[in-house]
Amino acid sequence: MKHDSRLDSVDIRILGALQENSRLTVKELAATVHLSPTPTFERVKRLEREGYISGYVAVLNAANIDCGFMSFCYLKMKQHTYENAMRIIEAVKTIPEIAECYNISGDYDFLLKIYTRDMKSYQKFLLRILGDLDCIGSLNSCFVLDEVKNTHKLPLPGDIQTSE
């Protein structure tokens, strides 16, 4: 990872602290990064303005809201055309069960991360939602047996453990 010269060590500490707990008050964040509240607030606003921080969310427990069956679905377009790709992309954006979608290389065109209640719900989802998209050529599903790691945290400069 190339170090962004616009980020200094305080910016990196702010980003790290906010990745741990985005609900920190400015006063708590300032104490964490050893800076007074006003400059801390100004730095956070600059990091937001410059796009380093793109938003704040509450991470929900999928099992507690009855959508704990997680699957990944590889999707192949019926025909590689711009129109088919756009139809899939636009459809995916409107389907709440699809938490993530990536346009990928390799044997498949898209990788979807999907949350449903159970296997039966997933089957209905495939047949009634994805099955209605006639631009899809094939699907391949993988079901999550156990979640080993799930984080929204990104590695910050200094966190990367590879040698250069």
Side-chain angles (χ1 to χ4, degrees):
M1 171 188 277
K2 198 175 211 180
H3 179 63
D4 189 328
S5 61
R6 295 175 293 176
L7 294 177
D8 64 18
S9 63
V10 175
D11 292 333
I12 292 167
R13 288 196 314 267
I14 288 171
L15 292 173
L18 289 174
Q19 283 195 124
E20 284 295 323
N21 181 1
S22 66
R23 295 188 67 184
L24 289 173
T25 65
V26 171
K27 187 176 178 181
E28 292 167 332
L29 181 59
T32 301
V33 300
H34 310 293
L35 197 64
S36 62
T38 299
T40 300
F41 176 80
E42 291 170 355
R43 282 175 178 260
V44 169
K45 289 302 168 196
R46 178 181 53 79
L47 291 167
E48 291 171 348
R49 206 173 37 254
E50 292 178 359
Y52 291 98
I53 300 171
S54 60
Y56 300 90
V57 300
V59 179
L60 306 181
N61 182 320
N64 287 351
I65 57 172
D66 207 20
C67 61
F69 186 78
M70 186 190 332
S71 56
F72 289 90
C73 182
Y74 293 93
L75 183 151
K76 189 181 293 190
M77 290 187 286
K78 190 176 281 185
Q79 186 178 15
H80 286 92
T81 65
Y82 177 80
E83 292 76 20
N84 281 347
M86 289 299 104
R87 286 179 61 210
I88 291 168
I89 290 168
E90 291 307 313
V92 159
K93 290 178 182 179
T94 67
I95 301 170
E97 292 90 346
I98 300 174
E100 299 175 32
C101 175
Y102 303 95
N103 185 208
I104 59 174
S105 64
D107 292 336
Y108 291 91
D109 301 306
F110 293 92
L111 173 61
L112 311 176
K113 182 178 182 181
I114 300 167
Y115 288 95
T116 57
R117 181 180 309 116
D118 51 27
M119 179 66 84
K120 193 74 169 166
S121 299
Y122 183 74
Q123 180 187 26
K124 287 179 184 176
F125 171 81
L126 280 184
L127 296 174
R128 294 184 179 161
I129 307 295
L130 293 183
D132 283 346
L133 294 173
D134 64 356
C135 53
I136 295 176
S138 65
L139 301 168
N140 184 4
S141 298
C142 300
F143 306 109
V144 175
L145 302 176
D146 186 27
E147 187 173 85
V148 176
K149 181 178 181 180
N150 179 350
T151 182
H152 296 280
K153 297 176 190 172
L154 297 176
L156 294 169
D159 290 345
I160 305 299
Q161 298 180 14
T162 57
S163 59
E164 293 183 22

PDB file of all heavy atoms in Angstrom, residues 84-106:
ATOM      1  N   ASN A  84     -26.645  -5.859 -20.952  1.00  0.00           N
ATOM      2  CA  ASN A  84     -26.839  -6.904 -19.940  1.00  0.00           C
ATOM      3  C   ASN A  84     -26.144  -6.542 -18.631  1.00  0.00           C
ATOM      4  O   ASN A  84     -26.705  -6.724 -17.550  1.00  0.00           O
ATOM      5  CB  ASN A  84     -26.339  -8.264 -20.441  1.00  0.00           C
ATOM      6  CG  ASN A  84     -27.313  -8.931 -21.378  1.00  0.00           C
ATOM      7  OD1 ASN A  84     -28.469  -8.534 -21.493  1.00  0.00           O
ATOM      8  ND2 ASN A  84     -26.846  -9.949 -22.071  1.00  0.00           N
ATOM      9  N   ALA A  85     -24.932  -6.044 -18.736  1.00  0.00           N
ATOM     10  CA  ALA A  85     -24.207  -5.646 -17.525  1.00  0.00           C
ATOM     11  C   ALA A  85     -24.960  -4.545 -16.787  1.00  0.00           C
ATOM     12  O   ALA A  85     -25.129  -4.611 -15.561  1.00  0.00           O
ATOM     13  CB  ALA A  85     -22.795  -5.180 -17.880  1.00  0.00           C
ATOM     14  N   MET A  86     -25.456  -3.563 -17.501  1.00  0.00           N
ATOM     15  CA  MET A  86     -26.192  -2.469 -16.871  1.00  0.00           C
ATOM     16  C   MET A  86     -27.508  -2.948 -16.266  1.00  0.00           C
ATOM     17  O   MET A  86     -27.896  -2.493 -15.189  1.00  0.00           O
ATOM     18  CB  MET A  86     -26.458  -1.335 -17.876  1.00  0.00           C
ATOM     19  CG  MET A  86     -25.224  -0.541 -18.259  1.00  0.00           C
ATOM     20  SD  MET A  86     -24.449   0.278 -16.857  1.00  0.00           S
ATOM     21  CE  MET A  86     -23.043  -0.749 -16.548  1.00  0.00           C
ATOM     22  N   ARG A  87     -28.173  -3.889 -16.918  1.00  0.00           N
ATOM     23  CA  ARG A  87     -29.418  -4.432 -16.362  1.00  0.00           C
ATOM     24  C   ARG A  87     -29.147  -5.138 -15.036  1.00  0.00           C
ATOM     25  O   ARG A  87     -29.906  -4.983 -14.081  1.00  0.00           O
ATOM     26  CB  ARG A  87     -30.074  -5.384 -17.352  1.00  0.00           C
ATOM     27  CG  ARG A  87     -30.728  -4.634 -18.517  1.00  0.00           C
ATOM     28  CD  ARG A  87     -31.377  -5.541 -19.527  1.00  0.00           C
ATOM     29  NE  ARG A  87     -32.444  -6.327 -18.909  1.00  0.00           N
ATOM     30  CZ  ARG A  87     -32.802  -7.542 -19.318  1.00  0.00           C
ATOM     31  NH1 ARG A  87     -32.178  -8.109 -20.331  1.00  0.00           N
ATOM     32  NH2 ARG A  87     -33.769  -8.192 -18.727  1.00  0.00           N
ATOM     33  N   ILE A  88     -28.075  -5.893 -14.984  1.00  0.00           N
ATOM     34  CA  ILE A  88     -27.717  -6.592 -13.744  1.00  0.00           C
ATOM     35  C   ILE A  88     -27.342  -5.578 -12.663  1.00  0.00           C
ATOM     36  O   ILE A  88     -27.826  -5.650 -11.528  1.00  0.00           O
ATOM     37  CB  ILE A  88     -26.586  -7.607 -13.994  1.00  0.00           C
ATOM     38  CG1 ILE A  88     -27.120  -8.765 -14.852  1.00  0.00           C
ATOM     39  CG2 ILE A  88     -26.005  -8.110 -12.674  1.00  0.00           C
ATOM     40  CD1 ILE A  88     -26.049  -9.681 -15.397  1.00  0.00           C
ATOM     41  N   ILE A  89     -26.504  -4.636 -12.994  1.00  0.00           N
ATOM     42  CA  ILE A  89     -26.057  -3.626 -12.025  1.00  0.00           C
ATOM     43  C   ILE A  89     -27.233  -2.846 -11.468  1.00  0.00           C
ATOM     44  O   ILE A  89     -27.352  -2.656 -10.254  1.00  0.00           O
ATOM     45  CB  ILE A  89     -25.003  -2.692 -12.669  1.00  0.00           C
ATOM     46  CG1 ILE A  89     -23.697  -3.469 -12.891  1.00  0.00           C
ATOM     47  CG2 ILE A  89     -24.770  -1.452 -11.819  1.00  0.00           C
ATOM     48  CD1 ILE A  89     -22.685  -2.767 -13.776  1.00  0.00           C
ATOM     49  N   GLU A  90     -28.123  -2.405 -12.327  1.00  0.00           N
ATOM     50  CA  GLU A  90     -29.287  -1.632 -11.859  1.00  0.00           C
ATOM     51  C   GLU A  90     -30.227  -2.488 -11.026  1.00  0.00           C
ATOM     52  O   GLU A  90     -30.762  -2.022 -10.016  1.00  0.00           O
ATOM     53  CB  GLU A  90     -30.019  -1.000 -13.045  1.00  0.00           C
ATOM     54  CG  GLU A  90     -29.238   0.119 -13.727  1.00  0.00           C
ATOM     55  CD  GLU A  90     -28.757   1.198 -12.764  1.00  0.00           C
ATOM     56  OE1 GLU A  90     -29.558   1.668 -11.924  1.00  0.00           O
ATOM     57  OE2 GLU A  90     -27.561   1.555 -12.823  1.00  0.00           O
ATOM     58  N   ALA A  91     -30.418  -3.741 -11.404  1.00  0.00           N
ATOM     59  CA  ALA A  91     -31.287  -4.639 -10.633  1.00  0.00           C
ATOM     60  C   ALA A  91     -30.703  -4.887  -9.248  1.00  0.00           C
ATOM     61  O   ALA A  91     -31.416  -4.820  -8.239  1.00  0.00           O
ATOM     62  CB  ALA A  91     -31.490  -5.953 -11.378  1.00  0.00           C
ATOM     63  N   VAL A  92     -29.415  -5.169  -9.190  1.00  0.00           N
ATOM     64  CA  VAL A  92     -28.744  -5.474  -7.927  1.00  0.00           C
ATOM     65  C   VAL A  92     -28.906  -4.328  -6.927  1.00  0.00           C
ATOM     66  O   VAL A  92     -29.095  -4.553  -5.736  1.00  0.00           O
ATOM     67  CB  VAL A  92     -27.255  -5.788  -8.198  1.00  0.00           C
ATOM     68  CG1 VAL A  92     -26.402  -5.625  -6.972  1.00  0.00           C
ATOM     69  CG2 VAL A  92     -27.110  -7.185  -8.782  1.00  0.00           C
ATOM     70  N   LYS A  93     -28.840  -3.113  -7.412  1.00  0.00           N
ATOM     71  CA  LYS A  93     -28.945  -1.943  -6.535  1.00  0.00           C
ATOM     72  C   LYS A  93     -30.300  -1.856  -5.831  1.00  0.00           C
ATOM     73  O   LYS A  93     -30.411  -1.219  -4.793  1.00  0.00           O
ATOM     74  CB  LYS A  93     -28.699  -0.661  -7.331  1.00  0.00           C
ATOM     75  CG  LYS A  93     -27.259  -0.496  -7.769  1.00  0.00           C
ATOM     76  CD  LYS A  93     -27.101   0.764  -8.602  1.00  0.00           C
ATOM     77  CE  LYS A  93     -25.691   0.950  -9.091  1.00  0.00           C
ATOM     78  NZ  LYS A  93     -25.554   2.160  -9.924  1.00  0.00           N
ATOM     79  N   THR A  94     -31.314  -2.498  -6.383  1.00  0.00           N
ATOM     80  CA  THR A  94     -32.660  -2.398  -5.811  1.00  0.00           C
ATOM     81  C   THR A  94     -33.065  -3.612  -4.973  1.00  0.00           C
ATOM     82  O   THR A  94     -34.144  -3.617  -4.398  1.00  0.00           O
ATOM     83  CB  THR A  94     -33.708  -2.227  -6.935  1.00  0.00           C
ATOM     84  OG1 THR A  94     -33.763  -3.437  -7.703  1.00  0.00           O
ATOM     85  CG2 THR A  94     -33.381  -1.043  -7.830  1.00  0.00           C
ATOM     86  N   ILE A  95     -32.226  -4.628  -4.900  1.00  0.00           N
ATOM     87  CA  ILE A  95     -32.575  -5.878  -4.216  1.00  0.00           C
ATOM     88  C   ILE A  95     -31.974  -5.866  -2.818  1.00  0.00           C
ATOM     89  O   ILE A  95     -30.748  -5.961  -2.656  1.00  0.00           O
ATOM     90  CB  ILE A  95     -32.074  -7.098  -5.021  1.00  0.00           C
ATOM     91  CG1 ILE A  95     -32.693  -7.085  -6.426  1.00  0.00           C
ATOM     92  CG2 ILE A  95     -32.401  -8.390  -4.290  1.00  0.00           C
ATOM     93  CD1 ILE A  95     -32.082  -8.106  -7.376  1.00  0.00           C
ATOM     94  N   PRO A  96     -32.808  -5.762  -1.784  1.00  0.00           N
ATOM     95  CA  PRO A  96     -32.274  -5.618  -0.420  1.00  0.00           C
ATOM     96  C   PRO A  96     -31.492  -6.822   0.095  1.00  0.00           C
ATOM     97  O   PRO A  96     -30.595  -6.666   0.923  1.00  0.00           O
ATOM     98  CB  PRO A  96     -33.516  -5.378   0.441  1.00  0.00           C
ATOM     99  CG  PRO A  96     -34.685  -5.713  -0.399  1.00  0.00           C
ATOM    100  CD  PRO A  96     -34.250  -5.693  -1.832  1.00  0.00           C
ATOM    101  N   GLU A  97     -31.783  -8.019  -0.378  1.00  0.00           N
ATOM    102  CA  GLU A  97     -31.057  -9.209   0.087  1.00  0.00           C
ATOM    103  C   GLU A  97     -29.597  -9.204  -0.344  1.00  0.00           C
ATOM    104  O   GLU A  97     -28.763  -9.874   0.265  1.00  0.00           O
ATOM    105  CB  GLU A  97     -31.719 -10.493  -0.444  1.00  0.00           C
ATOM    106  CG  GLU A  97     -33.074 -10.776   0.145  1.00  0.00           C
ATOM    107  CD  GLU A  97     -34.222 -10.149  -0.646  1.00  0.00           C
ATOM    108  OE1 GLU A  97     -33.967  -9.273  -1.514  1.00  0.00           O
ATOM    109  OE2 GLU A  97     -35.367 -10.531  -0.398  1.00  0.00           O
ATOM    110  N   ILE A  98     -29.277  -8.469  -1.400  1.00  0.00           N
ATOM    111  CA  ILE A  98     -27.899  -8.399  -1.892  1.00  0.00           C
ATOM    112  C   ILE A  98     -27.181  -7.284  -1.143  1.00  0.00           C
ATOM    113  O   ILE A  98     -27.457  -6.104  -1.334  1.00  0.00           O
ATOM    114  CB  ILE A  98     -27.848  -8.169  -3.418  1.00  0.00           C
ATOM    115  CG1 ILE A  98     -28.558  -9.310  -4.145  1.00  0.00           C
ATOM    116  CG2 ILE A  98     -26.392  -8.028  -3.880  1.00  0.00           C
ATOM    117  CD1 ILE A  98     -28.687  -9.112  -5.636  1.00  0.00           C
ATOM    118  N   ALA A  99     -26.249  -7.692  -0.274  1.00  0.00           N
ATOM    119  CA  ALA A  99     -25.508  -6.728   0.538  1.00  0.00           C
ATOM    120  C   ALA A  99     -24.312  -6.150  -0.214  1.00  0.00           C
ATOM    121  O   ALA A  99     -23.945  -4.998  -0.025  1.00  0.00           O
ATOM    122  CB  ALA A  99     -25.026  -7.390   1.827  1.00  0.00           C
ATOM    123  N   GLU A 100     -23.700  -6.968  -1.064  1.00  0.00           N
ATOM    124  CA  GLU A 100     -22.521  -6.531  -1.811  1.00  0.00           C
ATOM    125  C   GLU A 100     -22.557  -7.150  -3.199  1.00  0.00           C
ATOM    126  O   GLU A 100     -23.064  -8.250  -3.382  1.00  0.00           O
ATOM    127  CB  GLU A 100     -21.231  -6.967  -1.097  1.00  0.00           C
ATOM    128  CG  GLU A 100     -21.082  -6.380   0.289  1.00  0.00           C
ATOM    129  CD  GLU A 100     -19.873  -6.920   1.033  1.00  0.00           C
ATOM    130  OE1 GLU A 100     -18.843  -7.238   0.379  1.00  0.00           O
ATOM    131  OE2 GLU A 100     -19.949  -7.030   2.261  1.00  0.00           O
ATOM    132  N   CYS A 101     -21.998  -6.420  -4.153  1.00  0.00           N
ATOM    133  CA  CYS A 101     -21.900  -6.915  -5.526  1.00  0.00           C
ATOM    134  C   CYS A 101     -20.597  -6.416  -6.123  1.00  0.00           C
ATOM    135  O   CYS A 101     -20.274  -5.234  -6.015  1.00  0.00           O
ATOM    136  CB  CYS A 101     -23.081  -6.416  -6.357  1.00  0.00           C
ATOM    137  SG  CYS A 101     -22.949  -6.857  -8.110  1.00  0.00           S
ATOM    138  N   TYR A 102     -19.877  -7.334  -6.732  1.00  0.00           N
ATOM    139  CA  TYR A 102     -18.602  -6.996  -7.360  1.00  0.00           C
ATOM    140  C   TYR A 102     -18.596  -7.503  -8.783  1.00  0.00           C
ATOM    141  O   TYR A 102     -18.983  -8.636  -9.053  1.00  0.00           O
ATOM    142  CB  TYR A 102     -17.439  -7.641  -6.584  1.00  0.00           C
ATOM    143  CG  TYR A 102     -17.416  -7.224  -5.135  1.00  0.00           C
ATOM    144  CD1 TYR A 102     -18.025  -8.008  -4.154  1.00  0.00           C
ATOM    145  CD2 TYR A 102     -16.817  -6.034  -4.748  1.00  0.00           C
ATOM    146  CE1 TYR A 102     -18.027  -7.619  -2.826  1.00  0.00           C
ATOM    147  CE2 TYR A 102     -16.817  -5.637  -3.419  1.00  0.00           C
ATOM    148  CZ  TYR A 102     -17.423  -6.430  -2.469  1.00  0.00           C
ATOM    149  OH  TYR A 102     -17.423  -6.034  -1.152  1.00  0.00           O
ATOM    150  N   ASN A 103     -18.150  -6.670  -9.699  1.00  0.00           N
ATOM    151  CA  ASN A 103     -17.898  -7.082 -11.074  1.00  0.00           C
ATOM    152  C   ASN A 103     -16.490  -7.678 -11.051  1.00  0.00           C
ATOM    153  O   ASN A 103     -15.534  -6.993 -10.678  1.00  0.00           O
ATOM    154  CB  ASN A 103     -17.988  -5.875 -11.991  1.00  0.00           C
ATOM    155  CG  ASN A 103     -17.851  -6.191 -13.461  1.00  0.00           C
ATOM    156  OD1 ASN A 103     -17.412  -5.374 -14.226  1.00  0.00           O
ATOM    157  ND2 ASN A 103     -18.227  -7.383 -13.876  1.00  0.00           N
ATOM    158  N   ILE A 104     -16.367  -8.952 -11.396  1.00  0.00           N
ATOM    159  CA  ILE A 104     -15.106  -9.660 -11.207  1.00  0.00           C
ATOM    160  C   ILE A 104     -14.566 -10.215 -12.530  1.00  0.00           C
ATOM    161  O   ILE A 104     -15.281 -10.296 -13.521  1.00  0.00           O
ATOM    162  CB  ILE A 104     -15.259 -10.812 -10.187  1.00  0.00           C
ATOM    163  CG1 ILE A 104     -16.311 -11.825 -10.655  1.00  0.00           C
ATOM    164  CG2 ILE A 104     -15.607 -10.254  -8.809  1.00  0.00           C
ATOM    165  CD1 ILE A 104     -16.419 -13.073  -9.780  1.00  0.00           C
ATOM    166  N   SER A 105     -13.316 -10.622 -12.495  1.00  0.00           N
ATOM    167  CA  SER A 105     -12.707 -11.288 -13.645  1.00  0.00           C
ATOM    168  C   SER A 105     -12.772 -12.788 -13.423  1.00  0.00           C
ATOM    169  O   SER A 105     -13.080 -13.257 -12.333  1.00  0.00           O
ATOM    170  CB  SER A 105     -11.256 -10.834 -13.814  1.00  0.00           C
ATOM    171  OG  SER A 105     -10.496 -11.244 -12.696  1.00  0.00           O
ATOM    172  N   GLY A 106     -12.468 -13.544 -14.447  1.00  0.00           N
ATOM    173  CA  GLY A 106     -12.451 -15.000 -14.319  1.00  0.00           C
ATOM    174  C   GLY A 106     -13.644 -15.645 -14.998  1.00  0.00           C
ATOM    175  O   GLY A 106     -14.210 -15.102 -15.944  1.00  0.00           O
TER     176      GLY A 106
END
